[in-house]
Amino acid sequence: MLFNPKQTCDFSMGDMATYLQCFWGLFLSLSLYFIQSESTSHVYVVYLGRSQFHDPLVTSKSHIQLLSNVFSSEEEAKQSMLYSYKHGFSGFSAKLNSTQATTLANTKGVISVFRSKVLKLHTTRSWDFLGLTLYSGEVTPLQLTYGDDVVVGVFDTGIWPESESFKEEQGLGPIPSSWKGKCVKGEDFEPKMDCNRKLIGARYYLQGFEQEFGSLNTSGNPEYRSARDFLGHGTHTASTAVGSMVKNASFLDFALGTARGGAPRARLAVYKVCWGKNLDGNCAEADILAAFDDALHDGVNIISASFGSDPPLTPFFSSSADIGSFHAMQLGVSSVFSAGNAGPDPSLVGNVAPWTISVAASSIDRVFPTEIVIDSNFSVMGESLITNEINGRLVSAFSYFADGACLMENWNKRVAKRKIILCFSNRGPVPSAGIAQAAVLAASGSGLIFVEPPTMQIADVDIIPTVRVDVGQGNKIQIYIAQSSQNPVVKILPSKTAIGKSPAPVVASFSSRGPSPISPDILKPDVTAPGVTILAAWPAKTSPTLLPFDDRRVNWNFQSGTSMSCPHVSGVVALLKSAHPDWSPAAIRSAVMTTAYTRDNTFDSILAGGSRKVSDPFDIGAGHIHPSKAMDPGLVYDMKTRDYIIFLCNIGYNKNQINMLVLPSTGTDTSCSHVHQTNSNINYPSITVSNLQSTMTIKRTVRNVGRKTTAIYFVSIVKPHGVEVLIWPRILIFSCFKEELSYFVTLKPLKKSQGRYDFGEIVWSDGFHKVRSPLVVLVNNSNDDDDDDDDPSVFASNITAASSSI
């Protein structure tokens, strides 16, 4: 037992013996604490930048040599090491105590050392809603024209290979010759049977997870020690991104239609890095980096990853996702990530690196209306996925739960047999319908009517029949119950599938919002995509709710989250990569962003779920993806190595460190300027200025990728409130001799303000293409008494400088 000064030290007595006893007791306690801290080992990642050697064996040997410096022998170092990252980049993961980790962090040639954290998962009709309709009269629809030469690597919970979603499409050619990957044998996974020309790679990574949670216990934990999926999340996301066409797909006859991924002909490689623990997906960073290392060596073209962590975010090169995706970008591989499910509060967006695509989630135009009939007197309409009519007595939550809060701890032990309970989300509060369902199930209730704000309602696969209604309808039901002399008779009719709901899309209330907490001058999320009640493939032996007492088995299931919106964008990126193989990840991201739309199906502004307000770029990024327009964006904002170097300089890296990170290329200046260059000047498709104190000028460069080499683009501007915006030149003339041109944006604050973001846009158009960039500005000058900025000569000098640069 450690020394406790509060129990032992009574300094009011004032004698020297007491002071000495306390001093030595405290010294001994702290010594024991630090000895214990030093002896406790955890998994750390030691990141060394790009691989300095062309031979993976030599790289691995250098890792052992480096690790041996903090162990008494090379043998101990080898036993400590989990993975050696030796293909796409250089580094390793190993079990270390804090002293060893600190020693390695201070060693020359080491970029970063960080604890391997555990990241969490961000857990048909959607493609029609995006305009990729199979039966639109085209002979070869867009989704079936491109993709068979592209490999999408999905980092997730594995795959259910028997699903029809992963069968070989008719006429699918041989596996691309560039592919170096493989399918790895494991529990209930036989490569010869389970892999084909569609599913061409399957690996699994377990060492980081087992070091964190102990050995994978398949008896108490229904998991497979292989690439086979139990949790269903990986099967769902893979199916959404690249699933083959499957007719008559549905969840218990809901959403019946032809299911397919964004790029049905693309090849699939699965990297199982997330494992079930108490039915929750856990993804160890050491495993994630091992998957990145293999995937880049295997030859994937796109990486799709629906996991992450909420703020506080770690520095960029102390994050497995950011490290892996940085080296992927340098090799021409696009990385698409989910933005997170921490909405609707601001600044909780995750996966914010400027070399990735971060995806928010929004709804589609499909709903599942469910009618509730009470005493045959009146009815209300909610949303649910109920297959059979339900009858019972309607009761208020106050009859069974203290304070009317449907929480397990509030249950008064009364049995609610054949009762349908009305619960309000704000009583308690009850964080989710799932929490209320567990409480009603414990009370033996037959069903639940869950009342929540109208912007929060999402039909879901429930453990007991649950209808979601808005607060207005819930209030009417509550009043009716209160005025009734006995419990009313209630009948819930089977749910239906309805298409054409408006408005749609609406940003999901759970979708994480910007601004980025660690790089506010880079707009994140980048775009939004369908992520609400998405139908996709599901493991045949896993219940749709994952719960052991749920005996239903399905081949297709509904899921919601930015986990679902991420693979929608991954599928679109696969189509773009197939159609434009020479485009860089930055050019592809630009095409997706600048063609995104901000109007819903009523031609009004997209709404932000979780509120009644119009969405802004922190909700939707550049807007909602528009795949067919992204194929022909007109202009793209590409990013050169120098753009990334400016960013690296701004986050504290010096020339020597940057040389260790960036692949060498002729003529590339890796030095950091003595004059600070804002991240706003990086050639990103959006423009964000998070601290506009005085007049400033920003440069952007665009490249003509349209079918016509000669093109003339004119600019239009929507100015943020209180900001003067001037663009020079206002006309861009492209030719076969001039396919790349620059323009300058000069911003001048016209108001005194602090802490308030304002939004505008810049649109370049040639009459056919519209290349749109969000303009996000925070004027921050309310404490600035300097009125020089009111001088027109300051604004004019910026314009003159811009025009002379042109």
Side-chain angles (χ1 to χ4, degrees):
M1 181 177 176
L2 292 180
F3 173 80
N4 188 340
K6 290 184 178 179
Q7 295 177 357
T8 310
C9 298
D10 183 4
F11 293 116
S12 61
M13 295 175 62
D15 72 81
M16 182 61 68
T18 301
Y19 280 107
L20 289 173
Q21 179 187 359
C22 289
F23 173 80
W24 286 111
L26 186 60
F27 176 79
L28 178 62
S29 176
L30 289 173
S31 299
L32 289 172
Y33 171 78
F34 285 115
I35 291 170
Q36 185 178 16
S37 297
E38 286 188 5
S39 62
T40 303
S41 293
H42 299 285
V43 176
Y44 285 85
V45 173
V46 180
Y47 173 54
L48 307 173
R50 63 181 175 85
S51 184
Q52 304 294 323
F53 309 103
H54 296 294
D55 188 341
L57 291 177
V58 175
T59 303
S60 289
K61 286 181 179 179
S62 70
H63 296 162
I64 292 293
Q65 289 174 354
L66 177 59
L67 187 56
S68 297
N69 293 331
V70 294
F71 284 95
S72 58
S73 69
E74 187 175 294
E75 189 59 35
E76 280 188 18
K78 287 179 179 178
Q79 291 176 358
S80 169
M81 184 177 288
L82 273 69
Y83 297 106
S84 172
Y85 312 125
K86 54 188 178 293
H87 297 298
F89 47 90
S90 180
F92 57 87
S93 51
K95 287 200 72 175
L96 305 169
N97 62 37
S98 58
T99 303
Q100 292 170 318
T102 301
T103 302
L104 287 171
N106 293 325
T107 302
K108 184 179 180 181
V110 174
I111 298 290
S112 62
V113 176
F114 57 94
R115 175 93 177 266
S116 172
K117 301 180 297 299
V118 176
L119 308 186
K120 296 293 184 180
L121 297 171
H122 287 150
T123 245
T124 73
R125 170 64 190 165
S126 54
W127 292 110
D128 290 328
F129 182 68
L130 291 176
L132 293 180
T133 306
L134 287 174
Y135 308 108
S136 59
E138 297 179 55
V139 177
T140 54
L142 177 60
Q143 285 178 290
L144 303 182
T145 304
Y146 298 104
D148 55 359
D149 55 345
V150 170
V151 182
V152 177
V154 176
F155 290 19
D156 217 296
T157 63
I159 195 77
W160 191 261
E162 292 83 3
S163 170
E164 287 187 81
S165 198
F166 311 118
K167 68 182 181 183
E168 295 178 357
E169 283 277 349
Q170 186 176 4
L172 191 63
I175 295 171
S177 59
S178 59
W179 179 245
K180 301 176 185 176
K182 62 180 180 179
C183 290
V184 176
K185 186 176 181 178
E187 181 185 356
D188 285 351
F189 195 94
E190 180 55 57
K192 290 182 179 179
M193 293 176 58
D194 295 325
C195 289
N196 52 33
R197 287 180 295 166
K198 176 69 175 179
L199 177 59
I200 64 173
R203 298 177 183 266
Y204 64 99
Y205 306 84
L206 195 53
Q207 293 188 60
F209 174 86
E210 290 194 323
Q211 289 294 335
E212 189 72 32
F213 296 102
S215 180
L216 186 71
N217 180 7
T218 52
S219 59
N221 182 28
E223 259 290 6
Y224 300 95
R225 187 178 285 273
S226 69
R228 182 172 289 277
D229 184 15
F230 171 77
L231 287 179
H233 191 276
T235 300
H236 197 282
T237 56
S239 169
T240 302
V242 299
S244 301
M245 284 197 304
V246 181
K247 293 182 179 180
N248 299 318
S250 73
F251 172 79
L252 304 177
D253 289 334
F254 292 114
L256 181 65
T258 300
R260 75 274 189 195
R265 297 185 67 82
R267 318 301 175 127
L268 171 63
V270 170
Y271 298 84
K272 185 175 180 179
V273 295
C274 303
W275 300 82
K277 181 72 173 177
N278 299 324
L279 304 182
D280 193 17
N282 299 273
C283 323
E285 288 199 289
D287 297 334
I288 291 169
L289 270 178
F292 266 107
D293 193 37
D294 279 341
L296 297 181
H297 180 258
D298 291 345
V300 302
N301 303 108
I302 293 99
I303 290 171
S304 182
S306 293
F307 52 68
S309 60
D310 297 330
L313 302 181
T314 57
F316 285 109
F317 291 100
S318 295
S319 156
S320 61
D322 295 338
I323 290 170
S325 57
F326 180 79
H327 291 281
M329 172 273 298
Q330 294 193 83
L331 296 174
V333 176
S334 296
S335 298
V336 186
F337 288 93
S338 47
N341 296 344
D345 292 333
S347 251
L348 295 178
V349 63
N351 294 318
V352 297
W355 44 83
T356 65
I357 302 175
S358 179
V359 188
S362 46
S363 66
I364 60 175
D365 64 345
R366 182 180 62 203
V367 291
F368 303 95
T370 306
E371 187 176 7
I372 305 169
V373 181
I374 303 172
D375 275 347
S376 300
N377 289 334
F378 80 98
S379 65
V380 297
M381 196 66 74
E383 261 206 270
S384 188
L385 296 169
I386 291 174
T387 55
N388 299 310
E389 183 177 305
I390 298 169
N391 295 278
R393 291 283 181 173
L394 180 62
V395 296
S396 168
F398 286 91
S399 301
Y400 295 91
F401 299 96
D403 299 322
C406 291
L407 299 166
M408 195 81 78
E409 59 268 28
N410 285 36
W411 180 35
N412 60 19
K413 306 306 181 202
R414 290 184 60 196
V415 177
K417 193 172 182 180
R418 291 187 57 78
K419 301 296 192 299
I420 295 170
I421 300 178
L422 178 71
C423 294
F424 282 75
S425 63
N426 63 309
R427 301 292 307 184
V430 183
S432 69
I435 300 293
Q437 288 171 27
V440 171
L441 187 65
S444 300
S446 298
L448 167 67
I449 299 174
F450 191 67
V451 184
E452 55 188 343
T455 58
M456 308 287 283
Q457 293 173 49
I458 297 174
D460 203 355
V461 181
D462 302 310
I463 56 175
I464 61 169
T466 301
V467 186
R468 292 155 178 82
V469 300
D470 66 34
V471 177
Q473 294 169 316
N475 208 55
K476 289 178 183 178
I477 298 172
Q478 181 67 44
I479 291 171
Y480 188 89
I481 293 172
Q483 293 176 346
S484 299
S485 57
Q486 59 181 0
N487 294 332
V489 175
V490 62
K491 177 170 65 176
I492 301 175
L493 300 177
S495 307
K496 299 178 180 179
T497 302
I499 293 170
K501 177 201 175 185
S502 62
V506 173
V507 181
S509 59
F510 58 74
S511 184
S512 293
R513 268 59 165 187
S516 165
I518 56 174
S519 53
D521 285 331
I522 303 292
L523 178 63
K524 294 289 174 174
D526 292 298
V527 289
T528 187
V532 176
T533 320
I534 300 301
L535 182 72
W538 194 252
K541 292 185 179 180
T542 300
S543 75
T545 60
L546 297 178
L547 296 170
F549 56 80
D550 185 354
D551 58 4
R552 294 174 295 178
R553 295 295 181 266
V554 295
N555 294 318
W556 304 89
N557 198 12
F558 288 114
Q559 296 269 279
S560 296
T562 54
S563 277
M564 283 64 247
S565 58
C566 167
H568 274 88
V569 174
S570 303
V572 172
V573 170
L575 294 175
L576 290 171
K577 185 66 176 178
S578 180
H580 306 285
D582 58 331
W583 283 9
S584 70
I588 289 173
R589 180 181 56 227
S590 173
V592 171
M593 290 178 67
T594 60
T595 57
Y597 59 86
T598 58
R599 299 278 170 177
D600 61 27
N601 56 1
T602 68
F603 304 103
D604 209 340
S605 298
I606 293 174
L607 293 174
S611 72
R612 290 289 197 181
K613 75 178 182 70
V614 170
S615 64
D616 61 46
F618 292 143
D619 303 312
I620 62 174
H624 194 282
I625 60 168
H626 196 313
S628 58
K629 286 192 178 296
M631 295 294 285
D632 180 21
L635 306 177
V636 295
Y637 294 81
D638 210 344
M639 287 178 69
K640 305 290 194 295
T641 303
R642 185 62 195 166
D643 287 294
Y644 296 110
I645 290 171
I646 292 172
F647 183 81
L648 295 174
C649 291
N650 287 343
I651 61 175
Y653 288 90
N654 58 40
K655 182 175 180 177
N656 290 335
Q657 292 170 316
I658 291 170
N659 283 330
M660 295 168 61
L661 291 167
V662 178
L663 290 175
S665 58
T666 306
T668 300
D669 180 10
T670 57
S671 62
C672 294
S673 172
H674 296 297
V675 179
H676 175 74
Q677 298 185 60
T678 171
N679 284 336
S680 300
N681 258 321
I682 293 172
N683 203 42
Y684 214 72
S686 55
I687 296 176
T688 305
V689 180
S690 63
N691 186 24
L692 183 65
Q693 297 181 339
S694 59
T695 301
M696 71 178 296
T697 297
I698 294 164
K699 180 183 177 182
R700 284 292 186 270
T701 301
V702 287
R703 186 172 78 247
N704 179 22
V705 294
R707 294 183 177 92
K708 297 180 179 179
T709 55
T710 301
I712 302 175
Y713 279 81
F714 298 86
V715 71
S716 61
I717 309 167
V718 175
K719 301 175 182 179
H721 175 68
V723 180
E724 182 60 46
V725 182
L726 179 85
I727 293 182
W728 184 265
R730 295 185 63 87
I731 301 174
L732 297 177
I733 303 173
F734 296 92
S735 68
C736 55
F737 304 106
K738 205 75 174 173
E739 68 169 13
E740 198 168 77
L741 293 171
S742 297
Y743 66 92
F744 293 84
V745 182
T746 300
L747 305 172
K748 176 186 177 182
L750 299 178
K751 63 178 181 179
K752 295 291 184 182
S753 182
Q754 190 172 23
R756 180 190 298 275
Y757 277 97
D758 293 286
F759 308 98
E761 64 182 31
I762 296 170
V763 181
W764 290 96
S765 178
D766 62 352
F768 177 72
H769 303 94
K770 286 189 174 180
V771 186
R772 178 184 167 276
S773 293
L775 180 57
V776 180
V777 181
L778 186 148
V779 175
N780 190 23
N781 61 2
S782 62
N783 297 324
D784 185 5
D785 297 326
D786 187 358
D787 293 328
D788 285 349
D789 214 43
D790 295 331
D791 186 350
S793 63
V794 176
F795 198 45
S797 65
N798 281 273
I799 299 168
T800 303
S803 60
S804 64
S805 296
I806 294 289

